[in-house]
Amino acid sequence: VDQARPYVLLSAWSWPFVFANMALRGFLIGIGDWWSFGFVLLVEQGIGLFGILKYFSATPTLAVLGWVGFVPPAVAFVLMVLLLIFRPGIWDKYLSSNPVREESTATSDAEGSGDELSEGTVSLSARQASVARTSSQMAATWRETAKEGLLAMVSDLAVQLPMTVGVYLAGARLGMGAMYQISALQAAFPQYGLAWVRGLTYGFRIIGSQQIGARDAEGFSNFYEIVVKYCSLLALVSIVTTLPFPAQISFALAEQACEYASEKACLPIYATVFGGGDYTGATLQGSAFKFFVPSLCAMCFYQVFKAGVYACQDFAFMAKAGCLALVFVFLPSVFLADAFGSAGAILVPMYLPCLALAIAFAVRIKRNIGQMSRGTFPLWGQDGTDSDEGSSESSAEA
């Protein structure tokens, strides 16, 4: 537990930066600032790769792995904030507004036209009404943006919380060996699947949003079919390339655990990872590995379909689905896993919510595509205008 504590704490400390970066990247994509988006992404990935090659390879500990996961999103957050503050044009065009100054300007303009008092009064009233309407629209927009950000965060927490609870549960109830098994399998996720859908998730968000904005229901439907086929093929490849080789992959993933076999006092820890001696429990290459590919596929499908729901701006559904997955999927399964008492059993409640949400998001996207085809998609509104613009105007007029 002492060895895992730095990794868990650093992972938890990285969450605020990860969530903030999601919003900031979305803003950069929304304004079409691809150079800044690409630069920040390149720096973040470069720092992570450098940390793995330079530091983690030399000192493969959970503490170093925690720092490798913490530093890149923190640096990316600082870079994006600096870009928003100092990049010419961004702040003035998108983030700065001073209705009070506009109102005072309108007042001085009207007062300066003494010979045309009546016309100045009419102009002043019109401009004051325009400023008040703009201010109300801005307030409504910021409220809606904050609300949607919180709803999206609820969905992400519904996935991150089971993973964190699972790691703690493995360490507290089953010991160091079970925690090591779970950590080793999680560390292999990018290599065997997650890294292969990272670009697809960005593409689904960006291209899908553009297609929805252009009211291209057929294009969005075709892109969704490509996404489903790609993920299905990736799952098939993962099954073929991993399931026949449990021992080889397990020993490669947990190579550092072999150090426990070099000292007699540490042999019990080695046995809880790979087996041997009097140990008869679950091993990394045994029951735990059987849940590796299903957990990996669930995570990949969740990431990709979540991007599609993001493109549809269906944030309320994301939050509701996340809460339902926590209550009706995670909680019952975690109690059952605790009763079975193995690392493989704990992997089930850790990633079963991902599978449930992936299915829910896929069904929701399909439903949204049907509404787009019929012209009844709520985001498009019923009168030819986007529903979010209509709601903002209604709030402003109210």
Side-chain angles (χ1 to χ4, degrees):
V1 176
D2 291 337
Q3 294 183 19
R5 182 178 291 111
Y7 173 78
V8 175
L9 291 176
L10 288 168
S11 298
W13 294 341
S14 69
W15 290 351
F17 295 110
V18 171
F19 290 140
N21 289 345
M22 291 179 184
L24 293 174
R25 286 195 187 97
F27 178 77
L28 292 177
I29 292 173
I31 65 176
D33 193 354
W34 302 107
W35 289 105
S36 298
F37 173 80
F39 170 73
V40 173
L41 186 62
L42 182 63
V43 171
E44 182 179 6
Q45 298 297 324
I47 292 175
L49 181 62
F50 177 78
I52 292 175
L53 297 178
K54 175 68 176 178
Y55 296 102
F56 185 70
S57 297
T59 311
T61 63
L62 289 176
V64 174
L65 185 62
W67 281 108
V68 171
F70 172 79
V71 173
V75 172
F77 172 78
V78 173
L79 280 178
M80 283 189 282
V81 170
L82 292 176
L83 281 171
L84 294 179
I85 294 176
F86 296 107
R87 179 79 180 268
I90 290 182
W91 184 266
D92 293 335
K93 185 175 181 180
Y94 298 101
L95 302 176
S96 177
S97 180
N98 193 347
V100 177
R101 186 178 66 179
E102 293 180 9
E103 184 176 355
S104 64
T105 302
T107 305
S108 57
D109 289 346
E111 289 176 350
S113 56
D115 296 335
E116 300 177 355
L117 183 59
S118 59
E119 295 181 5
T121 302
V122 173
S123 176
L124 173 62
S125 301
R127 297 190 66 176
Q128 285 178 334
S130 176
V131 168
R133 184 166 58 253
T134 300
S135 179
S136 299
Q137 289 175 342
M138 287 181 58
T141 300
W142 279 109
R143 286 195 300 268
E144 188 67 22
T145 301
K147 176 184 175 182
E148 291 176 350
L150 290 173
L151 291 174
M153 185 178 68
V154 169
S155 174
D156 287 328
L157 285 175
V159 171
Q160 295 297 330
L161 185 61
M163 297 181 191
T164 304
V165 172
V167 173
Y168 273 116
L169 181 63
R173 303 282 289 183
L174 305 178
M176 180 69 182
M179 180 183 289
Y180 199 102
Q181 293 178 34
I182 292 175
S183 300
L185 293 176
Q186 286 180 318
F189 276 10
Q191 178 181 355
Y192 288 96
L194 281 183
W196 299 97
V197 300
R198 177 67 64 88
L200 184 62
T201 58
Y202 282 118
F204 203 6
R205 290 187 189 185
I206 297 170
I207 298 175
S209 299
Q210 293 173 346
Q211 290 171 334
I212 292 175
R215 298 174 179 265
D216 184 8
E218 183 179 359
F220 185 77
S221 177
N222 293 336
F223 195 89
Y224 173 70
E225 291 181 3
I226 293 174
V227 166
V228 174
K229 292 177 182 178
Y230 177 88
C231 291
S232 300
L233 288 175
L234 180 62
L236 180 62
V237 171
S238 298
I239 292 172
V240 172
T241 56
T242 56
L243 287 186
F245 313 102
Q248 295 90 330
I249 295 176
S250 298
F251 291 141
L253 293 176
E255 180 181 355
Q256 294 77 21
C258 295
E259 296 180 5
Y260 293 121
S262 62
E263 297 184 15
K264 186 176 180 179
C266 297
L267 284 176
I269 299 178
Y270 176 86
T272 59
V273 179
F274 295 117
D278 298 331
Y279 180 75
T280 58
T283 61
L284 176 60
Q285 71 274 20
S287 62
F289 194 84
K290 294 178 181 178
F291 296 94
F292 171 61
V293 174
S295 301
L296 172 62
C297 293
M299 193 64 180
C300 290
F301 277 104
Y302 163 76
Q303 293 283 1
V304 173
F305 291 145
K306 183 184 73 170
V309 180
Y310 261 98
C312 297
Q313 299 185 27
D314 210 343
F315 301 108
F317 175 80
M318 293 174 64
K320 293 176 183 177
C323 292
L324 290 175
L326 271 180
V327 175
F328 296 104
V329 178
F330 170 67
L331 290 180
S333 60
V334 76
F335 285 116
L336 289 175
D338 187 34
F340 280 98
S342 68
I346 291 179
L347 277 172
V348 174
M350 289 177 64
Y351 292 96
L352 194 58
C354 292
L355 178 61
L357 289 174
I359 295 173
F361 290 167
V363 173
R364 187 70 173 188
I365 294 172
K366 196 66 178 176
R367 171 182 175 274
N368 290 342
I369 290 174
Q371 291 181 334
M372 293 176 196
S373 301
R374 296 188 298 270
T376 59
F377 185 50
L379 191 63
W380 290 350
Q382 302 295 328
D383 57 351
T385 59
D386 290 342
S387 62
D388 55 345
E389 293 178 4
S391 62
S392 298
E393 292 178 1
S394 316
S395 302
E397 292 175 359

